[in-house]
């Protein structure tokens, strides 16, 4: 019997999405597209992860002309470790369910999920 | 940009201001990111999520709940206290009610801007308790005032009224609050409210533990005081229906002891528990703050407790036959005797205001004294006081004898 993860499936999806490119800063909308989460779900997760020191955030320095500055996110070293641990059960679940790459089981329905390396 | 998106954009920019400063970046981030979302419904949905985040992080549900609760309680209190048409002093009462509610609503905002919001559960509970007490006292005092002011038409009740209150026009309402009395009550209410708000604000150096200790001690004092004076305060002819003989005397003595010991002990405990700076002067100030707070809060809670419960008991006696039956159960008293007791009790309720004024003054003095006595300024070696830098190495000096001992040394004459 596997131990229950400390993260919700949505939080795991965010961690995994951020873990795809650990060194790159990512935007909120891109993360929403990767995880399939709505803004009202995604941002509270990012806030909690930042509070726990797993995600760091900063403001874009050179915004596109006529656009406001965007908030950027990436995993901290602790967050990277958590993402690696979090990805293991997802890989195992995916292998067990023999899903196609790019899909994951979340809350009993199939949704788009980031490809875990 | 279509009008729903434009409306959502403007709403969001305003709503972001409701989020605490520490979280405002996130609210602004979600709003900035909306520009990357395809226009139309997707962008609107994105912003709707942002509004949800703002509502959650801004603790708007809690704020709305608190405001709704206060508005409901204030409305109920005003409805219960609002004078009817036969009351001649209605204008003064109405003015008093409205100004009291305005104070309850406005002073916290002023204090929040000046001293910050309450930052602990103890502080919030203390504020809520004080607000509840004021809101309960509004209708209760109105009921008692109306009863005392209503002149019986004839019979023995009229005779009793004339002895207790004085003559008046039968069937009319006389006496009761006037503008002068209302103004004094309002000034006292405003001062008490200001003290409570200041002691529970973030930027006042009063520890949450001090508030808890003092409130607990004050409740003990209030319960004993209520047992001693449940229907008004009368030192000469106290009425304690549930205490008889030696028990009444014993509880009376206990109440007197508690009046002075509760703020003293609360101040001592609060002064000992608080974390003080290393600098002796700063430590003294910090302890004095805890002592003042512990003394005022413990005595104040005791006084407010007995005032609220004593006044409410008296109002229920006046208003409810059921409570009267329960109160006088087993006693053979006539209806006119009951009226007389209620009349005296209603008059004696004014005595609680002596406690409301006097107890906090006693509390300040004894609270500071308790804090100072429990934690004297560090002059003793290790173990005798709070944190102190170690003495430099060298021969241990004998303590300097006090002056009175010096004068009796062998070298001195006599």
């Amino acid at each position: 019997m596997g131990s229950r993860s400390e993260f919700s499936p949505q939080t795991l999806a965010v961690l995994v999405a951020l873990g795809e490119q650990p060194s790159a800063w990512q935007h909120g909308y891109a993360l929403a597209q990767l995880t399939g989460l709505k803004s009202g779900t995604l941002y509270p997760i990012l806030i909690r992860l930042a509070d726990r020191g797993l995600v760091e955030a900063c403001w874009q320095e050179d915004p596109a002309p006529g656009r406001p500055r965007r908030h950027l996110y990436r995993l901290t070293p602790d967050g990277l470790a958590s993402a690696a641990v979090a990805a293991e059960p997802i890989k195992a679940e995916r292998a067990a369910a023999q899903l196609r790459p790019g899909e994951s089981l979340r809350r009993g329905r199939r949704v788009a999920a980031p490809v875990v390396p | 940009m279509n009008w729903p998106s434009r409306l959502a954009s403007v709403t969001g920019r305003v709503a972001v201001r409701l989020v605490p400063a520490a979280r405002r970046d996130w609210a602004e981030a979600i709003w900035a990111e909306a520009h990357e979302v395809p226009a139309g419904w997707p962008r609107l949905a994105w912003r709707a999520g942002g509004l949800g985040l703002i509502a959650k992080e801004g603790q708007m549900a809690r704020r709305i709940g608190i405001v709704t609760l206060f508005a409901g309680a204030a409305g109920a209190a005003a409805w219960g206290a609002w004078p009817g048409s036969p009351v001649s002093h209605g204008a003064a009462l109405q003015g008093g009610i409205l100004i009291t509610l305005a104070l309850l609503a406005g002073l916290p905002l002023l204090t929040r801007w000046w001293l910050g919001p309450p930052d602990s559960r103890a502080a919030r509970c203390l504020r809520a308790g004080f607000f509840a007490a004021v809101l309960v006292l509004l209708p209760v005092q109105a009921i008692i005032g109306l009863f005392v002011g209503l002149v019986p038409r004839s019979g023995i009740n009229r005779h009793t009224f004339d002895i207790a209150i004085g003559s008046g026009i039968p069937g009319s309402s006389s006496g009761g609050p006037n503008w002068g009395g209302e103004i004094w009550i309002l000034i006292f209410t405003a001062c008490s409210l200001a003290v409570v708000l200041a002691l529970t604000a973030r930027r006042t150096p009063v520890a949450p533990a001090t508030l808890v200790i003092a409130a607990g001690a004050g409740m003990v004092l209030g319960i004993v005081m209520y047992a001693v004076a449940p229907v008004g305060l009368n030192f000469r002819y106290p009425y304690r229906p549930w205490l008889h003989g030696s028990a009444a005397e014993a509880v009376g003595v206990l109440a007197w002891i508690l009046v002075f010991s509760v703020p003293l002990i609360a101040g001592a405990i609060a002064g000992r528990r608080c974390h003080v700076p290393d600098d002796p002067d700063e430590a003294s100030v910090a302890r004095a703050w805890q002592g003042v707070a512990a003394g005022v809060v413990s005595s104040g809670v005791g006084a407010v407790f007995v005032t609220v419960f004593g006044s409410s008991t008296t109002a229920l006696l006046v208003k409810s036959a059921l409570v009267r039956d329960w109160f006088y159960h087993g006693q053979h008293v006539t209806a006119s005797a009951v009226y007389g007791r209620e009349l005296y009790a209603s008059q004696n309720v004014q005595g609680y205001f002596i406690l409301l004024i006097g107890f906090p003054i006693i509390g300040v003095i004894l609270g500071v004294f308790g804090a100072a006595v429990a934690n004297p300024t560090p002059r003793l070696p290790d173990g005798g006081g709070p944190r102190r830098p170690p003495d430099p190495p060298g021969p241990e000096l004998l303590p300097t004898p006090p002056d009175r001992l010096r004068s009796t040394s062998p070298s001195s004459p006599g």
Side-chain angles (χ1 to χ4, degrees), chain B residues 52 70 95 103 110 121 178 183 217 219 224 233 254 292 313 345 404:
Chain B
F70 172 73
L103 284 172
L110 192 67
R121 183 172 290 180
N178 51 22
I183 288 169
M219 291 290 278
V224 174
L233 188 69
L254 176 65
V292 166
T313 307
R404 60 188 171 82

Side-chain angles (χ1 to χ4, degrees), chain A residues 9 11 14 18 26 35 40 49 53 59 61-63 70-71 75 82 92:
Chain A
T11 307
V14 174
L18 285 166
Q26 300 198 45
T35 57
L49 290 175
W59 285 100
E61 287 184 357
D62 299 317
R70 299 175 77 180
H71 216 212
L75 290 173
S82 295

Side-chain angles (χ1 to χ4, degrees), chain A residues 27-30 32 38-40 42-44 46-48 50-51 55 57 59 67-71 73, chain B residues 23-26 28-33 35-38 42-43 45-50 53 56-57:
Chain A
H27 305 116
Y29 184 52
K38 296 184 188 314
S39 61
L42 172 67
Y43 277 83
L46 287 171
I47 290 171
R48 307 295 166 236
D51 286 347
V55 163
W59 285 100
R67 294 292 179 103
R69 289 186 307 159
R70 299 175 77 180
H71 216 212
Y73 316 98
Chain B
R23 291 279 195 248
R24 204 166 287 162
D25 266 8
W26 292 95
E28 287 173 353
I30 199 169
W31 229 250
E33 199 66 16
H35 291 269
E36 307 301 325
V37 181
R43 186 178 292 178
W46 182 271
R47 283 186 167 142
L53 176 82
K56 192 175 173 188
E57 294 300 324

Side-chain angles (χ1 to χ4, degrees), chain A residues 23-101:
Chain A
S23 57
W25 292 96
Q26 300 198 45
H27 305 116
Y29 184 52
L31 285 171
Q33 285 181 309
L34 276 171
T35 57
L37 297 175
K38 296 184 188 314
S39 61
T41 309
L42 172 67
Y43 277 83
I45 289 172
L46 287 171
I47 290 171
R48 307 295 166 236
L49 290 175
D51 286 347
R52 293 173 67 172
L54 301 179
V55 163
E56 55 185 332
C58 72
W59 285 100
Q60 191 179 26
E61 287 184 357
D62 299 317
R67 294 292 179 103
R69 289 186 307 159
R70 299 175 77 180
H71 216 212
L72 308 171
Y73 316 98
R74 75 177 178 188
L75 290 173
T76 62
D78 284 350
L80 201 57
S82 295
V85 173
E88 289 302 324
I90 293 177
K91 282 181 185 172
E93 183 184 340
R94 187 173 292 150
Q98 293 182 333
L99 293 174
R100 285 178 291 137

Side-chain angles (χ1 to χ4, degrees), chain B residues 99-164:
Chain B
I99 294 172
T100 302
L101 295 182
L103 284 172
L104 290 179
L107 265 184
L109 299 177
L110 192 67
T111 318
R112 189 186 186 90
W113 167 74
W114 188 33
L115 293 171
D119 63 345
S120 69
R121 183 172 290 180
R124 282 190 288 272
C125 287
L126 202 63
R127 281 190 181 191
F130 187 79
F131 273 54
V134 173
L135 291 176
V136 166
L137 283 175
L138 275 180
V140 161
Q141 289 293 330
I143 291 167
I144 293 170
L146 192 64
F147 179 75
V148 171
L150 198 63
V151 185
R153 289 189 182 279
S154 60
I156 195 163
N157 284 0
R158 174 64 196 273
H159 181 66
T160 308
F161 183 89
D162 286 346
I163 292 171

Side-chain angles (χ1 to χ4, degrees), chain B residues 85-89 145-154 158 161 165-176 339:
Chain B
S85 55
V87 183
S88 59
H89 51 267
L146 192 64
F147 179 75
V148 171
L150 198 63
V151 185
R153 289 189 182 279
S154 60
R158 174 64 196 273
F161 183 89
I165 310 288
S167 59
I169 301 166
S172 71
S173 177
S174 66
Y339 174 75

Side-chain angles (χ1 to χ4, degrees), chain B residues 146-227:
Chain B
L146 192 64
F147 179 75
V148 171
L150 198 63
V151 185
R153 289 189 182 279
S154 60
I156 195 163
N157 284 0
R158 174 64 196 273
H159 181 66
T160 308
F161 183 89
D162 286 346
I163 292 171
I165 310 288
S167 59
I169 301 166
S172 71
S173 177
S174 66
N178 51 22
W179 276 112
E182 280 298 326
I183 288 169
W184 278 114
I185 290 172
L186 286 172
I187 290 171
F188 178 73
T189 305
C191 292
S192 307
L193 182 60
V195 169
V196 170
L197 292 172
L199 287 176
T200 52
R202 180 187 293 161
R203 286 196 275 276
T204 309
V206 178
T210 299
L211 297 177
V212 173
I213 292 163
M219 291 290 278
V220 173
L221 173 63
I223 290 167
V224 174
M225 287 299 298
Y226 178 65

Side-chain angles (χ1 to χ4, degrees), chain B:
Chain B
M1 187 188 287
N2 55 9
W3 72 265
S5 286
R6 190 171 296 167
L7 180 67
S9 174
V10 173
T11 309
R13 273 193 226 108
V14 174
V16 162
R17 297 282 159 202
L18 297 172
V19 179
R23 291 279 195 248
R24 204 166 287 162
D25 266 8
W26 292 95
E28 287 173 353
I30 199 169
W31 229 250
E33 199 66 16
H35 291 269
E36 307 301 325
V37 181
W41 289 112
R43 186 178 292 178
L44 200 59
W46 182 271
R47 283 186 167 142
L51 284 177
L53 176 82
I54 288 167
K56 192 175 173 188
E57 294 300 324
Q59 297 181 326
M60 284 165 69
R62 185 177 158 186
R63 288 183 187 181
I64 290 168
I66 289 170
V67 169
T68 307
L69 187 66
F70 172 73
W79 180 75
W82 203 255
S85 55
V87 183
S88 59
H89 51 267
L93 272 178
Q94 289 168 355
I97 292 164
L98 292 177
I99 294 172
T100 302
L101 295 182
L103 284 172
L104 290 179
L107 265 184
L109 299 177
L110 192 67
T111 318
R112 189 186 186 90
W113 167 74
W114 188 33
L115 293 171
D119 63 345
S120 69
R121 183 172 290 180
R124 282 190 288 272
C125 287
L126 202 63
R127 281 190 181 191
F130 187 79
F131 273 54
V134 173
L135 291 176
V136 166
L137 283 175
L138 275 180
V140 161
Q141 289 293 330
I143 291 167
I144 293 170
L146 192 64
F147 179 75
V148 171
L150 198 63
V151 185
R153 289 189 182 279
S154 60
I156 195 163
N157 284 0
R158 174 64 196 273
H159 181 66
T160 308
F161 183 89
D162 286 346
I163 292 171
I165 310 288
S167 59
I169 301 166
S172 71
S173 177
S174 66
N178 51 22
W179 276 112
E182 280 298 326
I183 288 169
W184 278 114
I185 290 172
L186 286 172
I187 290 171
F188 178 73
T189 305
C191 292
S192 307
L193 182 60
V195 169
V196 170
L197 292 172
L199 287 176
T200 52
R202 180 187 293 161
R203 286 196 275 276
T204 309
V206 178
T210 299
L211 297 177
V212 173
I213 292 163
M219 291 290 278
V220 173
L221 173 63
I223 290 167
V224 174
M225 287 299 298
Y226 178 65
V228 171
V231 282
L233 188 69
N234 189 331
F235 291 110
R236 188 174 290 178
Y237 304 111
Y239 182 58
R240 305 154 186 159
W242 40 64
L243 292 173
H244 304 286
S246 59
E249 289 175 11
V251 178
V253 170
L254 176 65
W256 276 109
I257 292 170
L258 288 179
V259 167
F260 296 100
S261 62
V262 157
L264 190 74
I265 294 169
I269 296 173
R272 188 170 282 278
R273 279 185 60 92
C274 76
H275 297 284
V276 295
D278 288 333
D279 181 21
D281 292 335
E282 289 182 21
S284 299
V285 171
R287 284 198 200 98
W289 262 109
Q290 307 310 314
V292 166
V296 169
V297 171
S298 60
S299 301
V301 165
V304 168
F305 185 95
V306 68
T307 303
V308 169
F309 279 85
S311 302
S312 302
T313 307
T314 308
L316 285 172
L317 270 180
V318 167
K319 203 79 177 167
S320 164
L322 196 70
V323 175
R324 272 198 300 274
D325 290 344
W326 174 77
F327 214 74
Y328 297 117
H329 180 71
Q331 299 180 36
H332 301 288
V333 286
T334 61
S336 62
V338 168
Y339 174 75
R341 286 185 184 181
E342 288 167 6
L343 203 57
Y344 280 110
S346 300
Q347 279 193 299
N348 291 337
V349 162
Q350 309 299 326
Y352 288 136
F353 285 96
I354 297 172
L355 305 186
L356 287 174
I357 296 168
F359 272 24
I361 295 171
I362 295 171
V364 169
I365 297 165
L366 293 178
V368 174
F369 185 68
V373 167
N375 299 279
T377 310
R379 287 277 182 255
L380 300 170
D382 289 344
R387 293 179 290 276
R388 181 187 172 205
D391 289 324
E396 190 174 343
L397 298 173
L398 287 171
T400 309
D403 290 341
R404 60 188 171 82
L405 293 181
R406 270 188 238 159
S407 65
T408 57
S409 62
S411 59
S412 64

